[in-house]
Amino acid sequence: MSDLLQHYQTSASSKAGEAHCLPFEVYRNPAVWQEEARRIFHNDWVFICCEQELKEAGSYYAFELAGESLAIIRQDDNSFVALSNVCRHRGTPLLETGFGTTEKLIVCPYHAWAYEKNGDLKAIPLAGKNGPDKKEHCLPVFRLESWHGLLFINLNAEAESLMQRLEGIDDYLSGFDLAEFKTGNTGAEEYWQSNWKLAMENAMESYHLFKVHKETLETTTPTRGAFYLAGSSEWSLTAGKINQPQSKLMKWLSGDYPEMYNHYVLVSLPPSFVGILTYYGFDWIQVLPINENESFIRSGGIAKSTWGYNDKKTQEFTDAFFAEDKAICERVQRGMNSTHTQGGKLVDMERILVDFHQYLASRLFNSEPDTFYQSDNADMFLNPK
C-alpha cells in the first residue's frame, strides 16, 4: 500500500507540462478511498445544494457525505444550519434522504426523541427520573457557508473559511452578475459505477467533447473553442466559445454586449462541484463518493428566470449528454482494473486535470502545488467590454 501511495503522490504532484494520468489502482483501491474520505471529504469544503432549492422555513436536504448522515435545514429566520442527521440516542437516521420539509420538530422514527430545526433536543418521551441531559444530547452542528447561493459544508471546525479558499475567483465572474441568479432548479439524481475522481475529471475537461458528445455538447460548445482561463489547485476556470450564443438576444435587447457573453466559463471547485456559467444561468454537477467504485451524481442550477428549464427540447438535450457521460465514466472505470497499463501523459487541453491532481496531492500528502496561473484570454473576463 505504501508503494501505491508513493506512486499516487508522485503522479498527482507533477507539474503542468509533465503530468500523466494517475495510477489506475487509485480509482479502485478501497484503502485509497478511505484515505480520501477522511482527509478530503471530512476535512474540506464540499458543495451540497443551493439556497434556492430550500425555499421555505423547515425545508431540508438530507444526504450522505462519505459515510456521514447529514442535513441542511432552512431556519425560521431564513438562515441555514448543517446538522448531523443521526439521533443522539441510538444512532437512527432522522430525516429521510433527499429534499423534504419539517414544519416544527425533527422526530426520531425509533423512540421519538424530538429536536428543534437548529439541532437542540426538545423532548424525550418517558425519560424517567434519571433521563438524559437535553443540552448534552443536541445534534452536532457543522460549518456551512454560501457562495452566490451555493451551500458548502465542512466537517472540520479548524479549516480556513470558504471565502479564503475561493479568494480571487469572483474577479473573473463578476461580469455575469451572479446576484441576479435567484431561481433554483433541481435536476437528475443518479448513481454511477465510477470512482468519484473519474466523474470529476470527466466533468471538468473539454478534451472529450468532440468524441463522446459529438451530437450534443460538441455542437454548441466545440472542443476547439475551449481554453484554460485561470486557476490553481484550489479552484480552476476554463472557458470556451458558444456556437449558439445568448448574445443574439442580448443584441436585440441592448444593441451591444461584451464578447464574454459569447462564452461559457467552467468552474471547478474540488472535490465535489463543477459548474457551467453563462449569461443566463449557472448549471452544475455535484459528485459525492459512495465507495471506491460508485458515485452519487446530482445536477441542478441557478438562473435569472425559469426560462429554458422546463423546455422539453432543452431537457432532452441535457438528458442525452448526461447519459453519454455516465456511459463513458463507467466504461473507464472498468479499464481501471488493468494491472498492466500505466496512464499516458496529459495533453495541453487537460491542464485543468493537473490542477485537480495537485489538489488531491495537497490534501492527501501536503504537497506544494503550482503557483496560480492566468492565461492570455483572462482580460476578456476581468475587463468585459
mmCIF file of all heavy atoms in Angstrom, residues 24 26 29 58 81 126 150 157 204 215-216 233 238 252 256 265 286 329 349 352 374 377:
data_model
loop_
_atom_site.group_PDB
_atom_site.id
_atom_site.type_symbol
_atom_site.label_atom_id
_atom_site.label_comp_id
_atom_site.label_asym_id
_atom_site.label_seq_id
_atom_site.Cartn_x
_atom_site.Cartn_y
_atom_site.Cartn_z
ATOM 1 N N PHE A 24 -3.823 3.783 -12.246
ATOM 2 C CA PHE A 24 -5.162 3.226 -12.365
ATOM 3 C C PHE A 24 -5.694 2.693 -11.041
ATOM 4 O O PHE A 24 -6.886 2.787 -10.749
ATOM 5 C CB PHE A 24 -5.169 2.101 -13.404
ATOM 6 C CG PHE A 24 -5.009 2.572 -14.830
ATOM 7 C CD1 PHE A 24 -4.951 1.656 -15.869
ATOM 8 C CD2 PHE A 24 -4.918 3.918 -15.138
ATOM 9 C CE1 PHE A 24 -4.813 2.072 -17.177
ATOM 10 C CE2 PHE A 24 -4.773 4.348 -16.445
ATOM 11 C CZ PHE A 24 -4.717 3.415 -17.467
ATOM 12 N N VAL A 26 -5.543 3.743 -8.058
ATOM 13 C CA VAL A 26 -6.107 4.677 -7.079
ATOM 14 C C VAL A 26 -7.578 4.956 -7.347
ATOM 15 O O VAL A 26 -8.258 5.555 -6.525
ATOM 16 C CB VAL A 26 -5.321 6.014 -7.033
ATOM 17 C CG1 VAL A 26 -3.848 5.757 -6.781
ATOM 18 C CG2 VAL A 26 -5.518 6.838 -8.298
ATOM 19 N N ASN A 29 -8.964 1.222 -5.448
ATOM 20 C CA ASN A 29 -8.434 0.662 -4.217
ATOM 21 C C ASN A 29 -9.238 1.145 -3.011
ATOM 22 O O ASN A 29 -9.342 2.349 -2.777
ATOM 23 C CB ASN A 29 -6.958 1.059 -4.065
ATOM 24 C CG ASN A 29 -6.285 0.392 -2.889
ATOM 25 O OD1 ASN A 29 -6.597 0.693 -1.744
ATOM 26 N ND2 ASN A 29 -5.363 -0.512 -3.172
ATOM 27 N N GLY A 58 -38.003 25.290 7.363
ATOM 28 C CA GLY A 58 -38.279 23.870 7.546
ATOM 29 C C GLY A 58 -37.894 23.016 6.363
ATOM 30 O O GLY A 58 -37.852 21.781 6.479
ATOM 31 N N VAL A 81 -28.707 25.899 8.538
ATOM 32 C CA VAL A 81 -27.896 25.178 9.516
ATOM 33 C C VAL A 81 -27.610 23.782 8.986
ATOM 34 O O VAL A 81 -28.504 23.123 8.429
ATOM 35 C CB VAL A 81 -28.616 25.090 10.883
ATOM 36 C CG1 VAL A 81 -27.861 24.170 11.836
ATOM 37 C CG2 VAL A 81 -28.771 26.470 11.497
ATOM 38 N N LEU A 126 -41.052 9.615 27.956
ATOM 39 C CA LEU A 126 -40.894 8.612 29.013
ATOM 40 C C LEU A 126 -39.459 8.525 29.534
ATOM 41 O O LEU A 126 -38.918 7.439 29.751
ATOM 42 C CB LEU A 126 -41.346 7.239 28.495
ATOM 43 C CG LEU A 126 -42.758 7.190 27.880
ATOM 44 C CD1 LEU A 126 -43.016 5.827 27.272
ATOM 45 C CD2 LEU A 126 -43.798 7.543 28.926
ATOM 46 N N LEU A 150 -24.782 29.051 -3.358
ATOM 47 C CA LEU A 150 -24.378 27.650 -3.343
ATOM 48 C C LEU A 150 -23.838 27.305 -1.952
ATOM 49 O O LEU A 150 -22.954 27.987 -1.438
ATOM 50 C CB LEU A 150 -23.306 27.395 -4.403
ATOM 51 C CG LEU A 150 -23.679 27.795 -5.829
ATOM 52 C CD1 LEU A 150 -22.488 27.628 -6.762
ATOM 53 C CD2 LEU A 150 -24.865 26.977 -6.332
ATOM 54 N N ALA A 157 -13.818 21.825 11.877
ATOM 55 C CA ALA A 157 -14.049 23.123 12.515
ATOM 56 C C ALA A 157 -12.840 24.041 12.438
ATOM 57 O O ALA A 157 -12.961 25.252 12.639
ATOM 58 C CB ALA A 157 -14.435 22.924 13.978
ATOM 59 N N MET A 204 -14.907 18.196 -15.711
ATOM 60 C CA MET A 204 -14.157 19.445 -15.814
ATOM 61 C C MET A 204 -13.353 19.609 -17.095
ATOM 62 O O MET A 204 -12.984 20.729 -17.446
ATOM 63 C CB MET A 204 -13.242 19.602 -14.602
ATOM 64 C CG MET A 204 -12.103 18.614 -14.520
ATOM 65 S SD MET A 204 -11.008 18.887 -13.081
ATOM 66 C CE MET A 204 -12.114 18.584 -11.701
ATOM 67 N N GLU A 215 -22.775 14.622 -31.009
ATOM 68 C CA GLU A 215 -24.090 15.099 -31.446
ATOM 69 C C GLU A 215 -24.767 16.003 -30.418
ATOM 70 O O GLU A 215 -25.865 16.493 -30.673
ATOM 71 C CB GLU A 215 -25.000 13.903 -31.756
ATOM 72 C CG GLU A 215 -24.440 12.916 -32.769
ATOM 73 C CD GLU A 215 -24.176 13.556 -34.125
ATOM 74 O OE1 GLU A 215 -24.928 14.489 -34.491
ATOM 75 O OE2 GLU A 215 -23.224 13.133 -34.806
ATOM 76 N N THR A 216 -24.129 16.220 -29.282
ATOM 77 C CA THR A 216 -24.752 17.042 -28.232
ATOM 78 C C THR A 216 -23.880 18.259 -27.926
ATOM 79 O O THR A 216 -23.933 19.255 -28.624
ATOM 80 C CB THR A 216 -25.001 16.192 -26.960
ATOM 81 O OG1 THR A 216 -23.781 15.539 -26.562
ATOM 82 C CG2 THR A 216 -26.065 15.134 -27.224
ATOM 83 N N SER A 233 -4.642 24.742 -7.664
ATOM 84 C CA SER A 233 -5.227 23.571 -7.029
ATOM 85 C C SER A 233 -6.519 23.880 -6.270
ATOM 86 O O SER A 233 -7.343 22.995 -6.052
ATOM 87 C CB SER A 233 -4.217 22.943 -6.066
ATOM 88 O OG SER A 233 -3.858 23.868 -5.053
ATOM 89 N N THR A 238 -11.975 27.185 -16.761
ATOM 90 C CA THR A 238 -11.748 27.097 -18.197
ATOM 91 C C THR A 238 -12.914 27.808 -18.865
ATOM 92 O O THR A 238 -13.898 28.176 -18.215
ATOM 93 C CB THR A 238 -11.644 25.645 -18.687
ATOM 94 O OG1 THR A 238 -12.871 24.955 -18.410
ATOM 95 C CG2 THR A 238 -10.496 24.928 -18.008
ATOM 96 N N TRP A 252 -30.453 42.114 -29.286
ATOM 97 C CA TRP A 252 -31.796 42.631 -29.532
ATOM 98 C C TRP A 252 -32.235 43.538 -28.396
ATOM 99 O O TRP A 252 -32.871 44.563 -28.601
ATOM 100 C CB TRP A 252 -32.761 41.449 -29.682
ATOM 101 C CG TRP A 252 -34.193 41.875 -29.853
ATOM 102 C CD1 TRP A 252 -34.767 42.487 -30.917
ATOM 103 C CD2 TRP A 252 -35.234 41.714 -28.880
ATOM 104 N NE1 TRP A 252 -36.090 42.717 -30.675
ATOM 105 C CE2 TRP A 252 -36.409 42.258 -29.443
ATOM 106 C CE3 TRP A 252 -35.290 41.177 -27.601
ATOM 107 C CZ2 TRP A 252 -37.621 42.257 -28.769
ATOM 108 C CZ3 TRP A 252 -36.487 41.172 -26.932
ATOM 109 C CH2 TRP A 252 -37.642 41.714 -27.520
ATOM 110 N N ASP A 256 -25.810 46.102 -27.830
ATOM 111 C CA ASP A 256 -24.390 45.856 -27.612
ATOM 112 C C ASP A 256 -24.237 44.910 -26.430
ATOM 113 O O ASP A 256 -25.115 44.820 -25.578
ATOM 114 C CB ASP A 256 -23.657 47.171 -27.337
ATOM 115 C CG ASP A 256 -22.152 47.023 -27.442
ATOM 116 O OD1 ASP A 256 -21.714 46.003 -27.996
ATOM 117 O OD2 ASP A 256 -21.433 47.911 -26.961
ATOM 118 N N VAL A 265 -18.119 29.792 -18.964
ATOM 119 C CA VAL A 265 -16.995 29.578 -18.053
ATOM 120 C C VAL A 265 -17.288 28.322 -17.250
ATOM 121 O O VAL A 265 -18.355 28.191 -16.644
ATOM 122 C CB VAL A 265 -16.796 30.774 -17.096
ATOM 123 C CG1 VAL A 265 -15.681 30.455 -16.094
ATOM 124 C CG2 VAL A 265 -16.452 32.036 -17.865
ATOM 125 N N GLN A 286 -22.892 17.844 -9.192
ATOM 126 C CA GLN A 286 -22.333 17.509 -7.878
ATOM 127 C C GLN A 286 -21.893 16.049 -7.899
ATOM 128 O O GLN A 286 -22.624 15.175 -8.393
ATOM 129 C CB GLN A 286 -23.397 17.712 -6.794
ATOM 130 C CG GLN A 286 -22.973 17.269 -5.409
ATOM 131 C CD GLN A 286 -24.167 17.062 -4.493
ATOM 132 O OE1 GLN A 286 -25.152 16.443 -4.873
ATOM 133 N NE2 GLN A 286 -24.095 17.577 -3.288
ATOM 134 N N CYS A 329 -17.869 7.239 -18.251
ATOM 135 C CA CYS A 329 -17.234 7.115 -16.945
ATOM 136 C C CYS A 329 -17.265 5.668 -16.461
ATOM 137 O O CYS A 329 -16.278 5.161 -15.898
ATOM 138 C CB CYS A 329 -17.909 8.028 -15.925
ATOM 139 S SG CYS A 329 -17.493 9.774 -16.116
ATOM 140 N N MET A 349 -4.813 20.451 -23.398
ATOM 141 C CA MET A 349 -6.225 20.714 -23.112
ATOM 142 C C MET A 349 -6.671 20.122 -21.780
ATOM 143 O O MET A 349 -7.777 20.411 -21.314
ATOM 144 C CB MET A 349 -7.116 20.181 -24.229
ATOM 145 C CG MET A 349 -7.037 20.991 -25.521
ATOM 146 S SD MET A 349 -8.460 20.701 -26.584
ATOM 147 C CE MET A 349 -9.752 21.537 -25.671
ATOM 148 N N ILE A 352 -6.488 21.529 -16.716
ATOM 149 C CA ILE A 352 -7.337 21.607 -15.529
ATOM 150 C C ILE A 352 -7.234 20.326 -14.690
ATOM 151 O O ILE A 352 -7.400 20.354 -13.468
ATOM 152 C CB ILE A 352 -8.809 21.893 -15.913
ATOM 153 C CG1 ILE A 352 -9.604 22.314 -14.667
ATOM 154 C CG2 ILE A 352 -9.447 20.715 -16.620
ATOM 155 C CD1 ILE A 352 -10.972 22.860 -14.972
ATOM 156 N N GLN A 374 -2.617 32.278 -14.947
ATOM 157 C CA GLN A 374 -3.656 33.014 -15.680
ATOM 158 C C GLN A 374 -3.275 33.066 -17.157
ATOM 159 O O GLN A 374 -2.132 33.375 -17.497
ATOM 160 C CB GLN A 374 -3.781 34.428 -15.123
ATOM 161 C CG GLN A 374 -4.774 35.321 -15.862
ATOM 162 C CD GLN A 374 -4.881 36.686 -15.231
ATOM 163 O OE1 GLN A 374 -5.438 36.823 -14.149
ATOM 164 N NE2 GLN A 374 -4.322 37.702 -15.876
ATOM 165 N N ASN A 377 -6.189 34.932 -22.231
ATOM 166 C CA ASN A 377 -7.597 35.227 -22.505
ATOM 167 C C ASN A 377 -8.318 35.846 -21.310
ATOM 168 O O ASN A 377 -9.499 36.162 -21.401
ATOM 169 C CB ASN A 377 -8.329 33.939 -22.890
ATOM 170 C CG ASN A 377 -7.853 33.370 -24.204
ATOM 171 O OD1 ASN A 377 -7.956 34.031 -25.234
ATOM 172 N ND2 ASN A 377 -7.334 32.156 -24.182
#
